Amino acid sequence: IASTICYPLTRIKQMCQAQTKRSKLRRTAGPTGHMEGKALSMWEMSLKVWTEDGWRGFIYGIEGQVFNASLKAALNRSAKERIQVMLFFLLFPERFRKMRALALAQAQT
């Protein structure tokens, strides 16, 4: 949920970072001989996205973000549960055996 709520800000930040990388490659010397090409601030980039794409510009690509966040959360939870069981087995082996036997008995009934 948090990644979905914060996605518009993340998108603007990524666009600002991408434009500064591109502008470093495409800068040309101005009439005074100095390098021109000021990067847009986050506010200026937000206005640019709003004028060019409207509100859809802020959520473009959110599907991938939601999928990525869901996958990471599922993998983290799975790994955490496995590590928790392994640590419980290593630190409290007798209690672990009793709990496993009780769980097996409940599963069979």
Side-chain angles (χ1 to χ4, degrees), residues 73-84:
L75 290 174
N76 281 339
R77 179 170 292 190
S78 176
K80 180 185 173 231
E81 288 174 356
R82 297 289 179 171
I83 291 170
Q84 184 178 7

Side-chain angles (χ1 to χ4, degrees), residues 29-70:
T32 59
H34 292 87
M35 299 299 271
E36 294 181 352
K38 179 181 165 259
L40 298 177
S41 68
M42 288 209 37
W43 177 252
E44 293 167 335
M45 183 62 75
S46 299
L47 289 175
K48 179 182 175 187
V49 169
W50 179 257
T51 56
E52 290 179 2
D53 301 324
W55 63 272
R56 291 182 182 186
F58 291 103
I59 59 171
Y60 177 78
I62 198 167
E63 310 89 13
Q65 178 69 19
V66 169
F67 177 76
N68 187 19
S70 301

